[in-house]
Amino acid sequence: MTEKLSPVHVTRVIPASREEVFRAFTDPEAIPLWLGGQSEGDTTRVVELDLREGGRYAFQGTMKGKTWEIHGMYREVAIPESSCTRGSIPRRAGQRRARASSRLSF
């Protein structure tokens, strides 16, 4: 059975240009600076990033000694206005993956 969930809308105002924020979300060198944990020993690695409609992305890392991964596909890309993704986050053994869609406007 699939549970129907309501969308969640989050708005952030970041004191940077649209281009700078878009770059932070799409540049393989910038992503590890903010994605994942910020504690000593935490890591984030961009495994794959193909920034185009139908392109794939994959990130892996460690946070507080535990490993994590996120992967999915870009459904829409409008540089530097927005991106729309669909992806999943694996859960612990025996649990289903958490699936998510996101639309980011810059």
Side-chain angles (χ1 to χ4, degrees), residues 16-92:
S17 71
R18 169 186 269 188
E19 290 78 13
E20 290 171 314
V21 178
F22 188 87
R23 181 185 159 279
F25 276 80
T26 58
D27 181 329
E29 292 183 17
I31 292 168
L33 300 175
W34 63 268
L35 180 64
Q38 301 300 313
S39 299
E40 179 89 22
D42 291 348
T43 63
T44 298
R45 184 169 71 96
V46 177
V47 177
E48 180 179 13
L49 198 146
D50 182 6
L51 187 62
R52 63 182 175 86
E53 291 182 22
R56 313 275 313 158
Y57 64 88
F59 312 120
Q60 295 176 338
T62 59
M63 187 183 308
K64 297 180 182 176
K66 297 185 180 187
T67 60
W68 58 268
E69 66 180 66
I70 301 170
H71 56 86
M73 179 182 69
Y74 289 99
R75 297 170 64 191
E76 298 173 24
V77 176
I79 299 170
E81 292 90 25
S82 64
S83 70
C84 180
T85 64
R86 177 171 212 97
S88 66
I89 303 168
R91 300 270 179 117
R92 294 185 181 135

Side-chain angles (χ1 to χ4, degrees), residues 5-10 101 103:
L5 302 174
S6 298
V8 175
H9 299 275
V10 178
S101 294
R103 175 176 300 281

Side-chain angles (χ1 to χ4, degrees), residues 1-7:
M1 177 170 110
T2 301
E3 184 179 344
K4 176 123 173 97
L5 302 174
S6 298

